[in-house]
Each structure stands twice: as structure tokens, then as C-alpha cells.
Amino acid sequence: MAIDVALAGQSLLHRPLQADGKGLGDLIDGADVTLTGFEGSTDVPEAWTTKDKTVHAAPPGAMASLRRLGFNALALANNHAFDLGAKGLSTTLAEADVEGFLVAGTGNSLTDATGPAFGRLGRCRLALISCDLGPQPDIVRAKDPDRGRMSRPGINAVRIRREVAVPADDFERLAAIAAATGHAARIAKRIQVGYQPPLRDGTLDFFGLDVVRGSVPEERYGVDAADADRLHRAIDIGCRNADLVVVCTHSHLWAPEWSDTPEWIRGFARGLIDAGAHIVVGHGTPIPQGMEIHNGRPIFHGLGNLAFHTRRSERYRQAGIDVWRGIAARCRFDPEGRTERITVFAVDVSAPNAGLDSSAPAPCLLSGEEADRILRDFYARSQLTDVDADLSGSRLTLAFDVPGSMSC
């Protein structure tokens, strides 16, 4: 029997949604798995905030409104999951348990946070994995017991190394500045006494930025090998114990044009498919990016928002950034886990009310010319040369040659 998986963008909630599910009917009706990213922390009075701005505390009942809307799975690893520290994180997990969600990406230890989380949703035995690519401070990372210390609650954080390559002449100028200001000597002393690890060969620490020689100026990103191995092991465990493995990533390491996907993130996502994931879902950017098919399986690089209760609405408007239109997708898999069909929808994102109501409007699927425009833009940003695509009826439908699809 076929399995249907409905995927939506991130849900950032400051109020419960006026949710009865009708506006998302074609996306979620009859789907086995219905997933969104819950971006935030459930509010609890006795919790301390862990930062001074952009704290997203969802009121009690906000998560329940997602359940009423029709969702049954949540990706929790993101840059706001630890806004209220360990107390907020545990409260979020407790509320998710009460509401019957399958959740992944946070926990009371690294082992708990890295997943996979298993659950039977409809006809599907699902393995859900959620991770955050940063940038994040160390304090948000979950840890297992070590050297007599207790485990630390937190998120499944994949550490990313960032460096900048510059031509040789520029490298020498930066090195001279670091030496003249005393920064190079300060770093050397810190390394000598063990305050920080030695620099990699050919690397300059330029006031906290790793700089290397290259033919042209460019940013380079590398995924921590231990974190990548841990993630791939989780996928392997999921493959051996579930019908489908879904991996959700969250990142704020965006390209200058937010609708573009950095090439290193594309490569990282392809590696997750190669490790056995059936779907990779990207969250983080508040506007949609494109998708691609790798070895017969979908990678959604960025679905944008489902609900976005931001306090910066006017700033987004002034900057010409449309955070109120998202993408959602319904994926059908055959009993062997092979992709049969994907239907992509345009979403009218739930924005905060202008008034003082205790709830916010629910998101809904768009139709007509606006939906067609959004889907055409999405298709243009995607790499879909190996599938049959049909854009009609306010939806983009992708058909697959099932026998040629990759198995787990």
C-alpha cells in the first residue's frame, strides 16, 4: 500500500492558529505523515531567556493548534529551540507528547537529540531525524554524560567550519595586520597554553575568522566529520527499522540571495540521501528555495514558512522580502519506499493579526494566477531535469519512473 507524506515549511507561533485543517485539505487530507518544523520554545514562566533579542516563545496551546490543523510530526532542531533554555526545551517536549506528535531534534542528551525518533503514523513506520546547521553557540548543543558530568539538554547540532579564501597577496596583507596589532601573538599564546586548538596548516586566524590562500575570494564551509558520521549512523538505524526515513535540516547560513541554496548545503543534503534518507527537508530561510531529485529521492532545500509570527513584518515589507508565501509538498511512496509522485503547492502563510485577537489566521493553499506564479518561480529554482513535470490546476506535479528509483 502506498504511503503519503505531507511536508510544510516552518511554524513560528506567537499565538495559536485558527485551525480546522480546511485550508490545507489537498495537502494533508488522508496523508500518513504530516510534518512541519516547530520553530521556537513553549513558554513557561520560570524559564530564563538565553539571549537578549529575537526570542520566540510560543504560548501554551500553539502547538495544539498545529495538531488541529492536521499535523502529526514536528522537526524541533532550530535556532529558537533553546530560547528558553533547558526548561523551555523540556516543556516543549512535554507538550508535544501530550498532543501526540512524533518529534525529533532535541532531547535531554545528545543520544536523545540525535534520534532517530520512530513512530507509526497511518500506514507508515517513520524514522524522523532533525538537525540544525547553525550558526549556534555551544550551549545549545545537547551532550551525553562525560567525565563525571551529567548529560546536557539541547539540540542535535551539526557543527560547520567556515573559512574565507583570499589570493596570496591579500593573505599576506591580512597576516601583516594580525601581526602588527598583536592579534597573531595573542592567538599563539592561547594555543600554547591550550585555550584553543592549533590552527590547521596554512590557516590564519584573522580576529576570529579562519583565512586560507585561494585563487579567488570565496567563503568555504565544511561539516564536522564526527557530527556527519553520527547523522549518517542515525539514518542507517532508521533504514533498518522503518518504512521511510525523513531528515529535516535547519540552517541560517544563507546565500546572499535567500532564494538560492549554497552549493555546500546541496552536497550535504545529497550525502544524506546517499546514506539512505528517503526525503530531506530544509527549513531556516523565511522564503522558499528550490528542490532537486537525487537518486530518485526528493530534496526540498527550503520550504519557507507555514506560520510566521514575526515582529519584523514592516522591515520585511520595506526590504521587499515576501515571507508570506511558502511551499508545501505531498510525496507518495510505493510499499518499497520508492518515489512515485510529488505534488507541490503554494501556501498563503499565517501572519500575525494586526489586532489583539488571541489567535492568528490559519495558513491555506493558494490557487489561481498567484499560485501558478509562485510554483513557476519554484520550478525555475529547482533541478528537475529527470522527472516529468506538469504545472496545472495551481499545483506542480512530478511523476517518477518507479522501477528506476533507489531503494533504502
PDB file of all heavy atoms in Angstrom, residues 41-53 55-57 80-91 139-140:
ATOM      1  N   SER A  41      10.094  27.766  21.279  1.00  0.00           N
ATOM      2  CA  SER A  41      10.071  27.046  22.542  1.00  0.00           C
ATOM      3  C   SER A  41       8.761  27.381  23.237  1.00  0.00           C
ATOM      4  O   SER A  41       8.332  28.539  23.234  1.00  0.00           O
ATOM      5  CB  SER A  41      11.265  27.474  23.406  1.00  0.00           C
ATOM      6  OG  SER A  41      11.306  26.761  24.618  1.00  0.00           O
ATOM      7  N   THR A  42       8.119  26.371  23.796  1.00  0.00           N
ATOM      8  CA  THR A  42       6.878  26.622  24.514  1.00  0.00           C
ATOM      9  C   THR A  42       7.153  27.464  25.758  1.00  0.00           C
ATOM     10  O   THR A  42       8.050  27.153  26.544  1.00  0.00           O
ATOM     11  CB  THR A  42       6.208  25.302  24.906  1.00  0.00           C
ATOM     12  OG1 THR A  42       5.880  24.576  23.717  1.00  0.00           O
ATOM     13  CG2 THR A  42       4.937  25.561  25.701  1.00  0.00           C
ATOM     14  N   ASP A  43       6.383  28.516  25.931  1.00  0.00           N
ATOM     15  CA  ASP A  43       6.624  29.466  27.025  1.00  0.00           C
ATOM     16  C   ASP A  43       6.331  28.817  28.374  1.00  0.00           C
ATOM     17  O   ASP A  43       5.384  28.041  28.521  1.00  0.00           O
ATOM     18  CB  ASP A  43       5.740  30.697  26.837  1.00  0.00           C
ATOM     19  CG  ASP A  43       6.305  31.919  27.551  1.00  0.00           C
ATOM     20  OD1 ASP A  43       7.346  31.782  28.219  1.00  0.00           O
ATOM     21  OD2 ASP A  43       5.706  32.997  27.420  1.00  0.00           O
ATOM     22  N   VAL A  44       7.174  29.140  29.339  1.00  0.00           N
ATOM     23  CA  VAL A  44       6.980  28.681  30.705  1.00  0.00           C
ATOM     24  C   VAL A  44       7.530  29.769  31.623  1.00  0.00           C
ATOM     25  O   VAL A  44       8.659  30.244  31.431  1.00  0.00           O
ATOM     26  CB  VAL A  44       7.665  27.313  30.937  1.00  0.00           C
ATOM     27  CG1 VAL A  44       9.140  27.365  30.612  1.00  0.00           C
ATOM     28  CG2 VAL A  44       7.431  26.814  32.341  1.00  0.00           C
ATOM     29  N   PRO A  45       6.763  30.275  32.579  1.00  0.00           N
ATOM     30  CA  PRO A  45       7.158  31.474  33.346  1.00  0.00           C
ATOM     31  C   PRO A  45       8.490  31.344  34.056  1.00  0.00           C
ATOM     32  O   PRO A  45       9.236  32.319  34.173  1.00  0.00           O
ATOM     33  CB  PRO A  45       6.004  31.640  34.338  1.00  0.00           C
ATOM     34  CG  PRO A  45       4.839  30.973  33.697  1.00  0.00           C
ATOM     35  CD  PRO A  45       5.408  29.817  32.936  1.00  0.00           C
ATOM     36  N   GLU A  46       8.844  30.147  34.552  1.00  0.00           N
ATOM     37  CA  GLU A  46      10.060  30.026  35.354  1.00  0.00           C
ATOM     38  C   GLU A  46      11.323  29.845  34.520  1.00  0.00           C
ATOM     39  O   GLU A  46      12.409  29.664  35.080  1.00  0.00           O
ATOM     40  CB  GLU A  46       9.927  28.864  36.337  1.00  0.00           C
ATOM     41  CG  GLU A  46       9.641  27.507  35.704  1.00  0.00           C
ATOM     42  CD  GLU A  46       8.164  27.200  35.621  1.00  0.00           C
ATOM     43  OE1 GLU A  46       7.377  28.148  35.450  1.00  0.00           O
ATOM     44  OE2 GLU A  46       7.801  26.013  35.722  1.00  0.00           O
ATOM     45  N   ALA A  47      11.227  29.906  33.194  1.00  0.00           N
ATOM     46  CA  ALA A  47      12.401  29.738  32.334  1.00  0.00           C
ATOM     47  C   ALA A  47      13.085  31.078  32.077  1.00  0.00           C
ATOM     48  O   ALA A  47      12.430  32.114  31.906  1.00  0.00           O
ATOM     49  CB  ALA A  47      11.997  29.113  31.005  1.00  0.00           C
ATOM     50  N   TRP A  48      14.430  31.042  32.057  1.00  0.00           N
ATOM     51  CA  TRP A  48      15.222  32.206  31.670  1.00  0.00           C
ATOM     52  C   TRP A  48      15.410  32.218  30.162  1.00  0.00           C
ATOM     53  O   TRP A  48      15.587  31.174  29.537  1.00  0.00           O
ATOM     54  CB  TRP A  48      16.599  32.156  32.327  1.00  0.00           C
ATOM     55  CG  TRP A  48      16.602  32.400  33.802  1.00  0.00           C
ATOM     56  CD1 TRP A  48      16.485  31.477  34.784  1.00  0.00           C
ATOM     57  CD2 TRP A  48      16.732  33.674  34.444  1.00  0.00           C
ATOM     58  NE1 TRP A  48      16.536  32.085  36.025  1.00  0.00           N
ATOM     59  CE2 TRP A  48      16.690  33.431  35.844  1.00  0.00           C
ATOM     60  CE3 TRP A  48      16.889  34.982  33.988  1.00  0.00           C
ATOM     61  CZ2 TRP A  48      16.796  34.451  36.786  1.00  0.00           C
ATOM     62  CZ3 TRP A  48      16.990  35.990  34.925  1.00  0.00           C
ATOM     63  CH2 TRP A  48      16.945  35.727  36.296  1.00  0.00           C
ATOM     64  N   THR A  49      15.403  33.410  29.582  1.00  0.00           N
ATOM     65  CA  THR A  49      15.767  33.511  28.172  1.00  0.00           C
ATOM     66  C   THR A  49      17.278  33.379  28.030  1.00  0.00           C
ATOM     67  O   THR A  49      18.036  33.810  28.897  1.00  0.00           O
ATOM     68  CB  THR A  49      15.319  34.851  27.568  1.00  0.00           C
ATOM     69  OG1 THR A  49      15.919  35.922  28.293  1.00  0.00           O
ATOM     70  CG2 THR A  49      13.810  34.989  27.610  1.00  0.00           C
ATOM     71  N   THR A  50      17.724  32.777  26.941  1.00  0.00           N
ATOM     72  CA  THR A  50      19.154  32.548  26.724  1.00  0.00           C
ATOM     73  C   THR A  50      19.779  33.587  25.808  1.00  0.00           C
ATOM     74  O   THR A  50      20.955  33.487  25.473  1.00  0.00           O
ATOM     75  CB  THR A  50      19.387  31.147  26.136  1.00  0.00           C
ATOM     76  OG1 THR A  50      18.684  31.038  24.887  1.00  0.00           O
ATOM     77  CG2 THR A  50      18.886  30.066  27.084  1.00  0.00           C
ATOM     78  N   LYS A  51      18.994  34.575  25.374  1.00  0.00           N
ATOM     79  CA  LYS A  51      19.532  35.655  24.552  1.00  0.00           C
ATOM     80  C   LYS A  51      18.685  36.894  24.764  1.00  0.00           C
ATOM     81  O   LYS A  51      17.605  36.823  25.379  1.00  0.00           O
ATOM     82  CB  LYS A  51      19.605  35.253  23.087  1.00  0.00           C
ATOM     83  CG  LYS A  51      18.325  34.681  22.512  1.00  0.00           C
ATOM     84  CD  LYS A  51      18.592  34.096  21.136  1.00  0.00           C
ATOM     85  CE  LYS A  51      17.352  33.481  20.539  1.00  0.00           C
ATOM     86  NZ  LYS A  51      17.593  32.842  19.245  1.00  0.00           N
ATOM     87  N   ASP A  52      19.165  38.017  24.255  1.00  0.00           N
ATOM     88  CA  ASP A  52      18.520  39.294  24.552  1.00  0.00           C
ATOM     89  C   ASP A  52      17.551  39.760  23.478  1.00  0.00           C
ATOM     90  O   ASP A  52      16.794  40.706  23.699  1.00  0.00           O
ATOM     91  CB  ASP A  52      19.591  40.378  24.769  1.00  0.00           C
ATOM     92  CG  ASP A  52      20.409  40.135  26.026  1.00  0.00           C
ATOM     93  OD1 ASP A  52      19.873  39.509  26.964  1.00  0.00           O
ATOM     94  OD2 ASP A  52      21.580  40.547  26.065  1.00  0.00           O
ATOM     95  N   LYS A  53      17.576  39.178  22.306  1.00  0.00           N
ATOM     96  CA  LYS A  53      16.645  39.603  21.266  1.00  0.00           C
ATOM     97  C   LYS A  53      16.229  38.394  20.435  1.00  0.00           C
ATOM     98  O   LYS A  53      16.862  37.338  20.462  1.00  0.00           O
ATOM     99  CB  LYS A  53      17.260  40.677  20.367  1.00  0.00           C
ATOM    100  CG  LYS A  53      18.433  40.203  19.520  1.00  0.00           C
ATOM    101  CD  LYS A  53      18.889  41.314  18.579  1.00  0.00           C
ATOM    102  CE  LYS A  53      19.998  40.819  17.651  1.00  0.00           C
ATOM    103  NZ  LYS A  53      20.406  41.852  16.689  1.00  0.00           N
ATOM    104  N   VAL A  55      13.644  36.380  20.668  1.00  0.00           N
ATOM    105  CA  VAL A  55      13.217  35.221  21.445  1.00  0.00           C
ATOM    106  C   VAL A  55      11.811  34.842  21.000  1.00  0.00           C
ATOM    107  O   VAL A  55      10.905  35.683  21.000  1.00  0.00           O
ATOM    108  CB  VAL A  55      13.242  35.525  22.957  1.00  0.00           C
ATOM    109  CG1 VAL A  55      12.633  34.375  23.746  1.00  0.00           C
ATOM    110  CG2 VAL A  55      14.665  35.810  23.412  1.00  0.00           C
ATOM    111  N   HIS A  56      11.645  33.592  20.609  1.00  0.00           N
ATOM    112  CA  HIS A  56      10.340  33.142  20.129  1.00  0.00           C
ATOM    113  C   HIS A  56       9.768  32.122  21.106  1.00  0.00           C
ATOM    114  O   HIS A  56      10.143  30.946  21.110  1.00  0.00           O
ATOM    115  CB  HIS A  56      10.453  32.552  18.725  1.00  0.00           C
ATOM    116  CG  HIS A  56      10.721  33.587  17.679  1.00  0.00           C
ATOM    117  ND1 HIS A  56       9.832  34.614  17.421  1.00  0.00           N
ATOM    118  CD2 HIS A  56      11.780  33.797  16.858  1.00  0.00           C
ATOM    119  CE1 HIS A  56      10.328  35.394  16.469  1.00  0.00           C
ATOM    120  NE2 HIS A  56      11.504  34.921  16.123  1.00  0.00           N
ATOM    121  N   ALA A  57       8.878  32.605  21.954  1.00  0.00           N
ATOM    122  CA  ALA A  57       8.217  31.781  22.950  1.00  0.00           C
ATOM    123  C   ALA A  57       6.767  31.573  22.512  1.00  0.00           C
ATOM    124  O   ALA A  57       5.986  32.518  22.441  1.00  0.00           O
ATOM    125  CB  ALA A  57       8.271  32.452  24.320  1.00  0.00           C
ATOM    126  N   HIS A  80      15.834  28.529  17.503  1.00  0.00           N
ATOM    127  CA  HIS A  80      14.987  29.051  18.581  1.00  0.00           C
ATOM    128  C   HIS A  80      14.543  27.977  19.569  1.00  0.00           C
ATOM    129  O   HIS A  80      13.827  28.287  20.526  1.00  0.00           O
ATOM    130  CB  HIS A  80      13.762  29.762  17.998  1.00  0.00           C
ATOM    131  CG  HIS A  80      14.096  31.011  17.250  1.00  0.00           C
ATOM    132  ND1 HIS A  80      14.660  32.112  17.856  1.00  0.00           N
ATOM    133  CD2 HIS A  80      13.969  31.327  15.930  1.00  0.00           C
ATOM    134  CE1 HIS A  80      14.869  33.060  16.948  1.00  0.00           C
ATOM    135  NE2 HIS A  80      14.460  32.610  15.776  1.00  0.00           N
ATOM    136  N   ALA A  81      14.961  26.749  19.368  1.00  0.00           N
ATOM    137  CA  ALA A  81      14.537  25.664  20.251  1.00  0.00           C
ATOM    138  C   ALA A  81      15.056  25.843  21.672  1.00  0.00           C
ATOM    139  O   ALA A  81      14.453  25.335  22.625  1.00  0.00           O
ATOM    140  CB  ALA A  81      15.008  24.321  19.692  1.00  0.00           C
ATOM    141  N   PHE A  82      16.175  26.582  21.837  1.00  0.00           N
ATOM    142  CA  PHE A  82      16.787  26.754  23.151  1.00  0.00           C
ATOM    143  C   PHE A  82      16.624  28.185  23.656  1.00  0.00           C
ATOM    144  O   PHE A  82      17.326  28.621  24.561  1.00  0.00           O
ATOM    145  CB  PHE A  82      18.273  26.373  23.097  1.00  0.00           C
ATOM    146  CG  PHE A  82      18.832  25.849  24.390  1.00  0.00           C
ATOM    147  CD1 PHE A  82      18.488  24.592  24.851  1.00  0.00           C
ATOM    148  CD2 PHE A  82      19.707  26.608  25.141  1.00  0.00           C
ATOM    149  CE1 PHE A  82      19.013  24.099  26.037  1.00  0.00           C
ATOM    150  CE2 PHE A  82      20.239  26.127  26.334  1.00  0.00           C
ATOM    151  CZ  PHE A  82      19.885  24.872  26.781  1.00  0.00           C
ATOM    152  N   ASP A  83      15.675  28.935  23.090  1.00  0.00           N
ATOM    153  CA  ASP A  83      15.483  30.332  23.504  1.00  0.00           C
ATOM    154  C   ASP A  83      15.171  30.458  24.987  1.00  0.00           C
ATOM    155  O   ASP A  83      15.516  31.465  25.619  1.00  0.00           O
ATOM    156  CB  ASP A  83      14.356  30.983  22.693  1.00  0.00           C
ATOM    157  CG  ASP A  83      14.800  31.410  21.304  1.00  0.00           C
ATOM    158  OD1 ASP A  83      15.978  31.153  20.952  1.00  0.00           O
ATOM    159  OD2 ASP A  83      13.983  31.989  20.574  1.00  0.00           O
ATOM    160  N   LEU A  84      14.490  29.465  25.549  1.00  0.00           N
ATOM    161  CA  LEU A  84      14.139  29.474  26.972  1.00  0.00           C
ATOM    162  C   LEU A  84      14.912  28.408  27.743  1.00  0.00           C
ATOM    163  O   LEU A  84      14.476  27.954  28.804  1.00  0.00           O
ATOM    164  CB  LEU A  84      12.634  29.275  27.149  1.00  0.00           C
ATOM    165  CG  LEU A  84      11.754  30.361  26.524  1.00  0.00           C
ATOM    166  CD1 LEU A  84      10.279  30.025  26.707  1.00  0.00           C
ATOM    167  CD2 LEU A  84      12.061  31.725  27.122  1.00  0.00           C
ATOM    168  N   GLY A  85      16.067  28.030  27.212  1.00  0.00           N
ATOM    169  CA  GLY A  85      16.941  27.113  27.904  1.00  0.00           C
ATOM    170  C   GLY A  85      16.373  25.718  28.062  1.00  0.00           C
ATOM    171  O   GLY A  85      15.425  25.309  27.376  1.00  0.00           O
ATOM    172  N   ALA A  86      16.974  24.984  29.011  1.00  0.00           N
ATOM    173  CA  ALA A  86      16.585  23.593  29.219  1.00  0.00           C
ATOM    174  C   ALA A  86      15.135  23.468  29.670  1.00  0.00           C
ATOM    175  O   ALA A  86      14.428  22.526  29.295  1.00  0.00           O
ATOM    176  CB  ALA A  86      17.522  22.945  30.224  1.00  0.00           C
ATOM    177  N   LYS A  87      14.660  24.413  30.491  1.00  0.00           N
ATOM    178  CA  LYS A  87      13.286  24.356  30.979  1.00  0.00           C
ATOM    179  C   LYS A  87      12.294  24.511  29.829  1.00  0.00           C
ATOM    180  O   LYS A  87      11.297  23.780  29.736  1.00  0.00           O
ATOM    181  CB  LYS A  87      13.055  25.437  32.028  1.00  0.00           C
ATOM    182  CG  LYS A  87      11.669  25.409  32.656  1.00  0.00           C
ATOM    183  CD  LYS A  87      11.430  24.130  33.436  1.00  0.00           C
ATOM    184  CE  LYS A  87      10.098  24.152  34.150  1.00  0.00           C
ATOM    185  NZ  LYS A  87       9.833  22.902  34.882  1.00  0.00           N
ATOM    186  N   GLY A  88      12.559  25.469  28.940  1.00  0.00           N
ATOM    187  CA  GLY A  88      11.683  25.645  27.791  1.00  0.00           C
ATOM    188  C   GLY A  88      11.720  24.451  26.861  1.00  0.00           C
ATOM    189  O   GLY A  88      10.690  24.031  26.309  1.00  0.00           O
ATOM    190  N   LEU A  89      12.916  23.888  26.684  1.00  0.00           N
ATOM    191  CA  LEU A  89      13.045  22.721  25.812  1.00  0.00           C
ATOM    192  C   LEU A  89      12.253  21.542  26.352  1.00  0.00           C
ATOM    193  O   LEU A  89      11.512  20.876  25.615  1.00  0.00           O
ATOM    194  CB  LEU A  89      14.526  22.370  25.661  1.00  0.00           C
ATOM    195  CG  LEU A  89      14.907  21.261  24.683  1.00  0.00           C
ATOM    196  CD1 LEU A  89      16.258  21.567  24.043  1.00  0.00           C
ATOM    197  CD2 LEU A  89      14.969  19.914  25.384  1.00  0.00           C
ATOM    198  N   SER A  90      12.374  21.271  27.659  1.00  0.00           N
ATOM    199  CA  SER A  90      11.644  20.145  28.243  1.00  0.00           C
ATOM    200  C   SER A  90      10.136  20.382  28.223  1.00  0.00           C
ATOM    201  O   SER A  90       9.354  19.445  28.038  1.00  0.00           O
ATOM    202  CB  SER A  90      12.132  19.882  29.670  1.00  0.00           C
ATOM    203  OG  SER A  90      11.844  20.980  30.518  1.00  0.00           O
ATOM    204  N   THR A  91       9.719  21.650  28.382  1.00  0.00           N
ATOM    205  CA  THR A  91       8.297  21.967  28.311  1.00  0.00           C
ATOM    206  C   THR A  91       7.756  21.736  26.910  1.00  0.00           C
ATOM    207  O   THR A  91       6.642  21.231  26.724  1.00  0.00           O
ATOM    208  CB  THR A  91       8.058  23.425  28.744  1.00  0.00           C
ATOM    209  OG1 THR A  91       8.559  23.616  30.069  1.00  0.00           O
ATOM    210  CG2 THR A  91       6.579  23.775  28.719  1.00  0.00           C
ATOM    211  N   ILE A 139      26.388  26.294  23.829  1.00  0.00           N
ATOM    212  CA  ILE A 139      25.489  25.981  24.930  1.00  0.00           C
ATOM    213  C   ILE A 139      24.205  25.304  24.467  1.00  0.00           C
ATOM    214  O   ILE A 139      23.544  24.596  25.243  1.00  0.00           O
ATOM    215  CB  ILE A 139      25.150  27.257  25.744  1.00  0.00           C
ATOM    216  CG1 ILE A 139      24.430  26.892  27.051  1.00  0.00           C
ATOM    217  CG2 ILE A 139      24.325  28.226  24.907  1.00  0.00           C
ATOM    218  CD1 ILE A 139      25.220  26.040  27.980  1.00  0.00           C
ATOM    219  N   VAL A 140      23.815  25.478  23.199  1.00  0.00           N
ATOM    220  CA  VAL A 140      22.568  24.881  22.732  1.00  0.00           C
ATOM    221  C   VAL A 140      22.745  23.423  22.339  1.00  0.00           C
ATOM    222  O   VAL A 140      21.755  22.709  22.139  1.00  0.00           O
ATOM    223  CB  VAL A 140      21.975  25.656  21.534  1.00  0.00           C
ATOM    224  CG1 VAL A 140      21.882  27.140  21.841  1.00  0.00           C
ATOM    225  CG2 VAL A 140      22.767  25.408  20.251  1.00  0.00           C
TER     226      VAL A 140
END
